[in-house]
Structures are given as C-alpha cells and as structure tokens.
Amino acid sequence: MKEIATILGVPVNPYTMDEAVEKLTKDTLAKKINFVVTANAEIIMMAQQDADYKKLLLEKTDMILPDGAGTVWAGNYLGYTIPERVAGYDLYLRLLEEASKKEIPVFFFGGKPGIAEEAAAEGKRRWPGLKVAGCRNGYFSAEEEPAIIEEINRSGAAMLFAALGAPKQEKWLCKYSDLLKPCLRMGIGGSFDVLAGKVQRAPKWMQDAKLEWFYRLVKQPSRFGRMLALPKFVMAVRKEKK
Ligand code: UDP
C-alpha cells in the first residue's frame, strides 16, 4: 500500500494511470463503488475556501488522483512519492476504452445541450464496442434532479461520468450517492467539450513541458481569474512545508 499524500489537507492517492485504470475497471466489474476525483491545484485551492468541499474530499471520496503538474510537484515537494500525473481527461478516455472492451455501459452526464451526445458519438467512433447507456446535459433545475437520477439508474450504466465542472459535479455525485446505481462515479469537468472537439487540449510537448496551463490561458483568457489559484497553490504548499 503506497502512502497517501496529504496536500493542503486533501488526501491524494499516488496511483499511476495504469494502476488507476486497472483498479477502477476491476472494481466496476465486481460492482464495487468508487467515487473518483482527479484533483488539480485549482480543486485543492477550492477546498481551502470551501469547508464543505474539503470535508467531501476527505470523507466521501474513494480515490483522489493527482491531476496537473502542480499536484504532482506539491506531493513530491512535501516528501511523498507521486510517480505521475493522472489527468482527468486521459483517465476518462482510458476508462472508455476499457468499458468498450469489457462491455461496461457508460452514462455521459453534463455539458451544454447536445455536447454529451457529440462526445458519446466520438467515443463510439474511436471504440465501436462502446455501450453508451445514456446522455443528459448538465443544465437543470432542482426539480428535475429526481428524474435525472431515475434516467441514469434506468439506463443500466455501470460508469457515470459527470461533466458539470468542479465543485458542482462532486457535490452532486455526493448528494445522491445513496440513490445512484452506477458503481463508478467520476467528475470530469470540461472533458465532453474536448472529446466533442469543441475545446482543444494542449499539444503533447506542452503537456510534457508542464505548460498545459499556459496553453489554456492563451486559448481561454477568461480563465485568468481561475488560474490565479496556481501561484497561490505554490505559495500555500511552500508554507505548509515550513
Ligand atoms: N457545466 C454543466 N452544468 C453547469 C455548469 C457547467 O454541465 O451547471 C459544464 C460546462 O458546460 C462545461 C463543464 O461543465 O462543459 C465545465 O468545464 P470547465 O472547463 O470549467 O471544467 P474543468 O475541466 O476546468 O474542470
């Protein structure tokens, strides 16, 4: 058992991508529940401002993975061993691939109207065996929530990907955790937008150079405010070490 890294009070499991994919697929086939979060610096900083979110991450999740160069740096800087980054989007694609091989039905929940369907169509194009149990956009009122849960459960999905953005997706999955039937529940932010081709990810060389944040900033300058979480995160981690 590898030591869990505690970064600013958030417990991060130091799994590699392969280990996470293997465990989550195996657990899903064995009907074991996993509530998964891929925690980047922004999520860890959100938890510093939002006590309920921090409590949720600490007490209600089953696996928090190190997303983003910042989280990997912080874990290693604080003396833990975090072998690699497990980005939410990459994990989502790997799980879709496994789901297609093992005939595990998946549900796509979130994004603007039509985007989950477009992402699902692209998923089926890449992995023709993919069983899409259902799709539902991420814009709804509180009154619609029981019907959404019913739709997800009736679909027979065993993996539920919720793309509502953090922390909304985690709070939603947690609120309804006892009612939801899919074993794997995971928040994936803007991943449907990427799979549907609406938003581009940084080229591989930029990801490897730990510059994905810079690419996102140039492509979506409106994210500037959100991205100030990064330098704040670095400062907070340095302070924690002292
Ligand atoms: N979204 C949603 N419902 C909402 C708010 C947001 O479905 O009430 C979707 C939005 O359409 C987008 C995603 O959630 O697809 C959030 O994307 P963002 O890039 O902010 O997430 P990140 O990947 O940075 O966590």
Side-chain angles (χ1 to χ4, degrees):
M1 191 68 184
K2 294 188 206 171
E3 187 186 8
I4 292 176
T6 302
I7 303 172
L8 304 179
V10 175
V12 177
N13 297 76
Y15 283 99
T16 62
M17 176 64 82
D18 286 345
E19 288 166 348
V21 171
E22 193 191 327
K23 177 167 168 45
L24 294 173
T25 309
K26 225 165 147 184
D27 282 357
T28 303
L29 289 169
K31 301 200 178 342
K32 186 170 179 289
I33 289 176
N34 275 294
F35 176 19
V36 184
V37 176
T38 54
N40 57 16
E42 204 183 330
I43 285 185
I44 296 176
M45 287 314 280
M46 275 177 198
Q48 309 308 305
Q49 311 292 330
D50 179 342
D52 290 341
Y53 191 46
K54 192 176 214 172
K55 196 165 166 359
L56 178 162
L57 293 175
L58 257 171
E59 296 175 7
K60 306 289 184 189
T61 58
D62 298 294
M63 192 191 278
I64 302 184
L65 294 161
D67 190 357
T71 304
V72 175
W73 164 79
N76 289 319
Y77 179 79
L78 292 170
Y80 304 99
T81 303
I82 305 226
E84 64 183 10
R85 173 183 181 197
V86 184
Y89 181 67
D90 296 331
L91 177 60
Y92 161 60
L93 294 191
R94 288 282 305 268
L95 289 170
L96 289 185
E97 186 180 358
E98 288 307 307
S100 74
K101 286 187 200 152
K102 312 250 164 30
E103 301 192 354
I104 299 170
V106 296
F107 197 101
F108 288 44
F109 172 43
K112 297 207 176 84
I115 296 293
E117 286 81 357
E118 283 186 49
E122 176 59 21
K124 270 178 150 321
R125 198 188 62 75
R126 294 190 193 186
W127 303 286
L130 185 66
K131 286 196 179 330
V132 178
C135 296
R136 172 64 169 82
N137 73 66
Y139 294 84
F140 50 84
S141 63
E143 292 73 48
E144 290 175 278
E145 293 185 359
I148 295 174
I149 295 162
E150 172 74 12
E151 186 182 341
I152 292 169
N153 288 344
R154 233 185 317 113
S155 76
M159 288 185 174
L160 170 62
F161 295 103
L164 309 173
K168 187 174 179 176
Q169 57 203 12
E170 284 80 24
K171 290 188 175 182
W172 198 91
L173 290 171
C174 182
K175 184 173 175 192
Y176 295 116
S177 83
D178 291 344
L179 298 177
L180 288 166
K181 289 196 178 148
C183 293
L184 180 114
R185 301 102 187 253
M186 177 174 158
I188 56 167
S191 293
F192 295 159
D193 298 310
V194 182
L195 186 56
K198 307 292 173 200
V199 172
Q200 264 71 46
R201 249 190 115 190
K204 177 89 171 56
W205 71 265
M206 274 187 116
Q207 292 181 37
D208 292 345
K210 302 181 175 47
L211 287 173
E212 187 158 21
W213 62 272
F214 180 68
Y215 181 89
R216 285 186 136 191
L217 184 61
V218 172
K219 287 280 182 180
Q220 297 168 272
S222 58
R223 295 179 83 100
F224 180 73
R226 282 174 61 173
M227 291 184 86
L228 289 177
L230 274 163
K232 286 187 191 151
F233 173 75
V234 172
M235 283 191 296
V237 171
R238 283 185 190 274
K239 202 164 146 207
E240 179 165 271
K241 190 167 183 181
K242 275 187 199 155

